[in-house]
Amino acid sequence: MTSESTYTPQINPGNPGETSVFSIAFTRDDKSWTEDIDLTSLLQDVLMAESQPASRHGAWLQTAEGLWLLPQLLSWHLREDGTGQSSTTIQACHEGLVPEGCFEFQHAASDVDAATAMRNGFTQWARTDAVALRESARAEVTECMSMTMDFPGKAGHPALRRRVVLGPASHYMATPQAQAACPAAASAESVQDSESDEHGFCPCCLLTKSMDAFRPLLESTGYAAIRLYAARDGDGEIQADCRLNGEDYPPGQVALMDYVKTWPEMGFEFRKQLVVVHSLD
Ligand SMILES: [Zn+2]
């Protein structure tokens, strides 16, 4: 007989998502109508279309890797021009890795209907964050770049083996240019050596060029889903955003702002990624 798990995922207290099933009422000109939306069903469809089937249990989905997923609505806003903007959250839990769950936000838009906006946000999530999350739940990382780090035991602290899953990175440049390759992409050993930014960029860079800010997360035992976002607009204004398991992580934000200052000014550009750090037995 195998032992049955009694684990039941719970909504993380920090998750601001409100509901998974709702109706939105629309009025335009002399017409009015409602859209009934079941976000769990919508996410399940998106995952199926991305070849990541998941089974449904109430408002939650469960993947083959043992991840539990809960999509929720945060806000919906219809602009004057008829474009709808949605903000949703997806929380991920895993009994062995992150039982209390981590969550991330999806911001998306559509001029078709509300479901299309939310579907767009989920599709983007499925192609980026979901890849890093499921890789973290596998024995071998096969779809992403990854690094394994060993920390020797110190007084009062056991030795640690940590794996860093570098999720697919989004990189947008208004003026694309030929880029020098990140040395780490060619040679995984030199990940931390490169101080100068030749504007090379690979899935290691957002983390490794701000390593000091993330070292405490690498050297601790917990599951760390680190959302990294760094941008500079056409006027040179810098924006950065960093969250740890869904909550703001200010040291990361400060480090990312410094990292942007090393980029050559090339017009609007952003780099965005989810990196997951967790312990290996
Ligand atoms: Zn790199």
Side-chain angles (χ1 to χ4, degrees):
M1 237 180 90
T2 55
S3 61
E4 281 289 308
S5 167
T6 56
Y7 174 73
T8 307
Q10 304 287 336
I11 297 174
N12 184 299
N15 181 351
E18 295 195 346
T19 177
S20 301
V21 181
F22 49 88
S23 298
I24 299 177
F26 292 87
T27 307
R28 191 179 296 159
D29 304 327
D30 56 352
K31 284 191 292 186
S32 61
W33 68 99
T34 58
E35 244 189 281
D36 298 321
I37 294 180
D38 175 349
L39 285 182
T40 306
S41 164
L42 212 145
L43 180 59
Q44 190 175 31
D45 289 350
V46 165
L47 290 173
M48 183 59 85
E50 297 294 321
S51 305
Q52 305 167 34
S55 57
R56 182 169 184 158
H57 307 268
W60 294 79
L61 299 175
Q62 192 182 24
T63 74
E65 296 81 13
L67 285 164
W68 292 86
L69 305 172
L70 176 72
Q72 291 185 295
L73 180 70
L74 190 60
S75 68
W76 165 256
H77 175 65
L78 192 62
R79 294 204 308 238
E80 288 284 311
D81 66 2
T83 304
Q85 292 177 300
S86 62
S87 293
T88 52
T89 59
I90 295 176
Q91 183 178 318
C93 296
H94 186 282
E95 181 176 4
L97 287 170
V98 57
E100 70 286 5
C102 57
F103 56 92
E104 198 39 68
F105 299 83
Q106 301 81 45
H107 306 290
S110 167
D111 56 8
V112 179
D113 56 22
T116 303
M118 292 163 202
R119 184 183 298 273
N120 290 344
F122 288 173
T123 299
Q124 198 55 37
W125 177 87
R127 293 176 182 174
T128 53
D129 296 15
V131 180
L133 292 168
R134 71 169 176 264
E135 289 277 67
S136 76
R138 289 174 172 162
E140 300 291 334
V141 173
T142 57
E143 299 177 77
C144 298
M145 274 176 68
S146 68
M147 303 184 281
T148 302
M149 298 180 171
D150 285 298
F151 298 98
K154 285 184 278 193
H157 297 278
L160 275 180
R161 167 160 272 215
R162 300 282 277 168
R163 187 167 71 179
V164 182
V165 179
L166 301 158
S170 310
H171 186 196
Y172 174 84
M173 296 174 82
T175 10
Q177 55 152 11
Q179 294 185 51
C182 166
S187 148
E189 296 94 68
S190 61
V191 159
Q192 290 173 63
D193 296 346
S194 174
E195 282 298 313
S196 68
D197 189 306
E198 294 145 345
H199 217 60
F201 179 62
C202 90
C204 92
C205 294
L206 278 169
L207 181 82
T208 58
K209 309 258 174 167
S210 307
M211 202 56 142
D212 286 346
F214 300 110
R215 207 173 295 281
L217 306 179
L218 293 165
E219 295 181 4
S220 64
T221 55
Y223 187 90
I226 310 169
R227 141 72 64 228
L228 304 147
Y229 176 80
R232 183 166 52 202
D233 70 18
D235 299 325
E237 192 160 327
I238 291 172
Q239 266 193 36
D241 175 44
C242 185
R243 283 191 300 277
L244 169 63
N245 296 337
E247 311 274 4
D248 285 337
Y249 183 66
Q253 183 190 26
V254 171
L256 288 171
M257 306 231 359
D258 287 340
Y259 171 48
V260 177
K261 289 172 194 160
T262 68
W263 304 354
E265 297 229 16
M266 296 290 300
F268 176 62
E269 174 171 358
F270 77 75
R271 307 175 183 193
K272 185 178 172 190
Q273 186 182 27
L274 187 75
V275 168
V276 178
V277 185
H278 66 101
S279 292
L280 293 173
D281 294 329

